[in-house]
Amino acid sequence: MNTSVRSDYSFQDLFRSGQTPWTELSLAFLTVLSIYFVLTYTVLIDEDELPARFTVPIPEQCNPEWEGELLNNPSVKVSGSSAIQCYCPSNGKLLGQVNPVTTDGIDRAIARAREPQAEWAKTTWGQRRRVLKTMMKYILDNQETIATVACLDSGKTKIDASFGEILVTLEKLRWTIKHGEKALRPERRPTNFLMMYKHNEVRWEPLGVVAACVSWNYPFHNLMGPIISSLFAGSAIILKASENTAWSSIYFTSIVRASLAACGHSPNLVQTITCWPQAANHLTSHAGINHITFIGSRPVAHAVCASAAKALIPVCVELGGKDPAIILDDVRNLDKVSSILMRGTFISAGQNCVSVERVIALPSIYPKLVGALKLRILSLRIGSPLDEDDIDVGAMISGASFDRLEDLVEEAVDHGAKLLVGGKRYIHPQYPGGHYFSPTLLVDVLPSMRIAQEEVFAPICLLMRASSVPDAINLANSTSYALGASVFGTSKRDLDAILGGVKAGMVSVNDFAAYYAVQLPFGGVGGSGYGRFAGEEGLRSICNPKSVCRDRLPSLMSTSIPTMLDYPYSNAKKGWEMCTGLMHLGYEEKLSAKMGGLWRLVRNG
């Protein structure tokens, strides 16, 4: 049989015939890719921005042979001590202890950051990009260590760490390196007829020293994100890490500080602190802080915002959500959608501010989805990802929420929901000191149930039935949260209706949280907070937007006060006539009316 491919075939012929020359196409693709990289590295790359090399000590706990002390009833608090006890939530092993800072320590950290900031603000875009490229190269070369540290301190799996910690951090670095300068370059703004001789622009200038109080669920990315933005914007930063992930914050901060030092800049631009809540108020009301990014819970946000108000510090607040995923009846590939929903629900054991917390399905697809998800959730394996292979769902950060979660599930069942999988804490036979909650599937959930209204932040999949597209929108909008959302389907009309009707700060179509993988502005409305980080809007939000208005041709034309309008007034009546004429000249739409205004202006001038 002759299997050769004629050279005069078109692409359409090849695909129709089933004789697609994948080898030839692959070689062509690799050739184009090679040419691109050669051009990039020989022509487009500025040698002054090439990443610097450095090393930082790797925590001994990352050694596969490390055997830590196993704690009984592990907790971040130590009886009789103010120290923060750091331990692995997967197995309860002690990672170490961290001394929390006091109010004096906060003062010193802010002073250390402020000292080099003025000089850092004078650096070029290229110098700042080099620091970010240096970080990026280190992260790419040390993914294993970074993921291991994140897993040890948060309990997540290494695959979850790859997606939720490393990928999104690399993307933030890439976006800032490629687009940050454009976002912060002075921006021309329009003028008007009366001020046509003026040049208007907005400049985005460093604020000085900013702060970020970040949550524990993504110990690497939540720490790195604010650092990347603040440094590129020309500011220094005080990073308050959660006491739950104090141990990993030390290593992760050392990467940033070593990157700065390797590029010839002061590592003191970045200060990471951990403190107990009673000292945090000193940071959030400190006169030396010019902006705060807060990622956490609503009750803590109330305290942070009240504290910041004392010093009139602006705050960007991200408070989590109760994100809906709406599944339309016309989805083409249920298996594919199920995979995305599983990832959206169970990544990091559900401890994700944009987790899929509610699956809202239309009538025809609902029973099929229940069957598909039940089989998948039943097969999930729970355990310590660094001690076992093929673990799907890791530990939760602590067991503090387990009583509440079990009560929510039980209450929902009492009101008519059906519990098909899980629903309670899991005592792991090998890791009794670990914090595990069974992957859960709860169906026939109603909006009146408490579990449909409160953020669970756990590996719990809720299914709700919608009778129509408008009903699905109403269900999606039935909580106080409005962070992210997803919609899966085919009909453009229905998709557009949901995009326009759902209250959220971000929506992914036929995907989960894709907006964050491309650095669109991140944030919500309503009970999910206000302000944005990521993207152009996020980068600009930690700058001073300085408005500048100046003469285009100062030697030819500049502002001069007419005699009739100059203090003291020589003739107030004529001055008023000049003013009315000026308004007609500047803002009337008809030419005749404008000319009338000009005549009044000249006659009284």
Side-chain angles (χ1 to χ4, degrees):
M1 181 175 64
N2 183 9
T3 59
S4 63
V5 178
R6 293 205 329 261
S7 60
D8 60 341
Y9 264 19
S10 68
F11 276 108
Q12 291 84 356
D13 293 332
L14 293 173
F15 280 101
R16 278 197 297 268
S17 68
Q19 296 177 331
T20 310
W22 296 114
T23 302
E24 289 86 344
L25 288 174
S26 298
L27 287 172
F29 175 75
L30 288 172
T31 301
V32 171
L33 199 62
S34 299
I35 293 171
Y36 168 79
F37 280 117
V38 169
L39 286 173
T40 298
Y41 281 94
T42 58
V43 179
L44 302 179
I45 293 295
D46 188 338
E47 290 189 4
D48 291 337
E49 295 184 18
L50 290 176
R53 295 284 184 173
F54 67 91
T55 59
V56 293
I58 295 175
E60 63 171 329
Q61 294 87 342
C62 293
N63 189 326
E65 305 302 319
W66 174 75
E67 293 185 9
E69 175 190 349
L70 196 60
L71 300 173
N72 292 319
N73 300 316
S75 169
V76 293
K77 293 185 177 180
V78 182
S79 178
S81 170
S82 65
I84 297 169
Q85 183 169 255
C86 308
Y87 66 94
C88 177
S90 294
N91 52 31
K93 289 184 178 180
L94 178 68
L95 295 171
Q97 290 189 352
V98 173
N99 288 322
V101 297
T102 61
T103 55
D104 288 342
I106 291 171
D107 289 339
R108 289 191 294 271
I110 294 172
R112 283 194 298 268
R114 184 186 299 114
E115 186 177 355
Q117 187 276 324
E119 196 63 32
W120 174 250
K122 299 174 186 175
T123 54
T124 65
W125 300 120
Q127 288 173 309
R128 297 178 196 178
R129 275 193 295 266
R130 187 180 184 223
V131 173
L132 300 194
K133 289 178 180 180
T134 298
M135 290 184 212
M136 192 173 193
K137 180 59 177 169
Y138 182 90
I139 294 168
L140 286 167
D141 291 346
N142 294 273
Q143 295 179 60
E144 180 82 23
T145 301
I146 291 168
T148 299
V149 171
C151 292
L152 283 168
D153 215 11
S154 69
K156 66 185 62 181
T157 68
K158 289 178 78 172
I159 290 176
D160 286 351
S162 181
F163 281 111
E165 305 278 13
I166 297 172
L167 182 147
V168 287
T169 301
L170 289 172
E171 172 55 24
K172 189 173 187 73
L173 284 163
R174 183 209 66 84
W175 185 92
T176 309
I177 290 165
K178 189 169 184 179
H179 304 291
E181 179 181 350
K182 180 183 176 184
L184 298 185
R185 200 182 294 145
E187 183 178 87
R188 183 84 170 269
R189 293 295 174 89
T191 188
N192 58 47
F193 179 72
L194 296 178
M195 302 290 281
M196 66 175 72
Y197 64 98
K198 294 292 186 180
H199 171 95
N200 308 319
E201 68 180 28
V202 177
R203 299 180 178 185
W204 311 95
E205 297 186 345
L207 283 175
V209 180
V210 300
C213 304
V214 298
S215 56
W216 44 260
N217 54 327
Y218 289 101
F220 180 60
H221 178 67
N222 283 354
L223 181 139
M224 293 294 290
I227 289 173
I228 292 165
S229 296
S230 62
L231 286 178
F232 196 80
S235 290
I237 184 168
I238 311 297
L239 211 304
K240 183 202 167 295
S242 167
E243 51 269 34
N244 286 302
T245 49
W247 175 77
S248 60
S249 70
I250 296 171
Y251 169 67
F252 295 147
T253 303
S254 72
I255 297 172
V256 179
R257 291 169 62 88
S259 297
L260 284 162
C263 294
H265 306 290
S266 173
N268 285 338
L269 287 162
V270 176
Q271 302 286 322
T272 296
I273 62 172
T274 311
C275 62
W276 294 113
Q278 54 267 31
N281 180 67
H282 187 68
L283 172 67
T284 53
S285 62
H286 201 289
I289 296 296
N290 303 109
H291 183 278
I292 297 172
T293 298
F294 174 81
I295 304 173
S297 69
R298 200 182 301 179
V300 178
H302 289 157
V304 169
C305 291
S307 175
K310 298 173 187 174
L312 298 178
I313 304 171
V315 186
C316 172
V317 181
E318 195 271 280
L319 304 180
K322 191 71 180 172
D323 289 13
I326 298 174
I327 318 300
L328 302 178
D329 280 335
D330 62 355
V331 293
R332 289 176 177 162
N333 188 329
L334 182 59
D335 189 56
K336 180 179 177 181
V337 171
S338 299
S339 293
I340 296 173
L341 292 176
M342 291 291 290
R343 170 62 56 187
T345 303
F346 295 103
I347 185 171
S348 295
Q351 299 166 116
N352 181 4
C353 54
V354 289
S355 279
V356 174
E357 291 242 347
R358 296 173 294 153
V359 179
I360 301 170
L362 268 67
S364 296
I365 202 70
Y366 186 91
K368 301 173 188 176
L369 195 58
V370 170
L373 290 176
K374 180 180 178 181
L375 289 174
R376 285 173 176 263
I377 295 171
L378 278 169
S379 67
L380 292 176
R381 296 156 295 187
I382 314 168
S384 177
L386 297 180
D387 297 309
E388 301 177 82
D389 294 328
D390 300 325
I391 294 300
D392 301 302
V393 180
M396 294 184 68
I397 195 69
S398 80
S401 65
F402 288 176
D403 287 343
R404 182 181 74 90
L405 294 173
E406 289 174 344
D407 287 347
L408 287 173
V409 172
E410 184 178 352
E411 184 181 298
V413 172
D414 289 343
H415 286 82
K418 295 184 180 66
L419 178 63
L420 301 186
V421 185
K424 59 185 178 180
R425 72 193 74 194
Y426 176 70
I427 308 299
H428 200 291
Q430 291 177 261
Y431 316 107
H435 307 306
Y436 296 97
F437 197 88
S438 300
T440 296
L441 176 60
L442 192 66
V443 304
D444 296 347
V445 175
L446 301 176
S448 57
M449 297 174 181
R450 203 156 54 97
I451 199 167
Q453 296 297 317
E454 297 182 13
E455 184 180 35
V456 294
F457 222 58
I460 298 177
C461 182
L462 304 181
L463 257 69
M464 306 175 74
R465 192 193 309 265
S467 60
S468 62
V469 170
D471 186 37
I473 294 172
N474 288 334
L475 286 173
N477 294 338
S478 64
T479 77
S480 63
Y481 292 99
L483 187 57
S486 303
V487 56
F488 297 82
T490 304
S491 166
K492 185 177 186 302
R493 182 187 64 184
D494 290 342
L495 292 173
D496 285 345
I498 291 167
L499 285 173
V502 169
K503 295 177 182 177
M506 307 160 291
V507 184
S508 287
V509 179
N510 289 314
D511 210 335
F512 157 70
Y515 40 78
Y516 202 50
V518 292
Q519 282 295 292
L520 288 174
F522 188 98
V525 294
S528 289
Y530 51 83
R532 296 293 185 270
F533 53 83
E536 184 175 289
E537 291 80 0
L539 189 57
R540 287 179 168 184
S541 73
I542 55 168
C543 296
N544 170 34
K546 180 183 284 184
S547 300
V548 177
C549 182
R550 59 187 179 190
D551 296 324
R552 291 177 187 272
L553 302 168
S555 60
L556 298 178
M557 187 177 236
S558 61
T559 298
S560 180
I561 305 296
T563 302
M564 289 298 175
L565 302 179
D566 200 7
Y567 288 119
Y569 298 135
S570 58
N571 189 327
K573 185 177 181 180
K574 282 195 170 188
W576 169 250
E577 289 297 317
M578 281 192 71
C579 288
T580 57
L582 189 67
M583 302 309 130
H584 285 291
L585 175 63
Y587 300 103
E588 288 282 5
E589 292 187 5
K590 292 183 178 180
L591 179 60
S592 59
K594 283 184 176 291
M595 295 308 293
L598 177 61
W599 170 244
R600 182 177 292 186
L601 191 64
V602 172
R603 187 180 60 189
N604 292 282

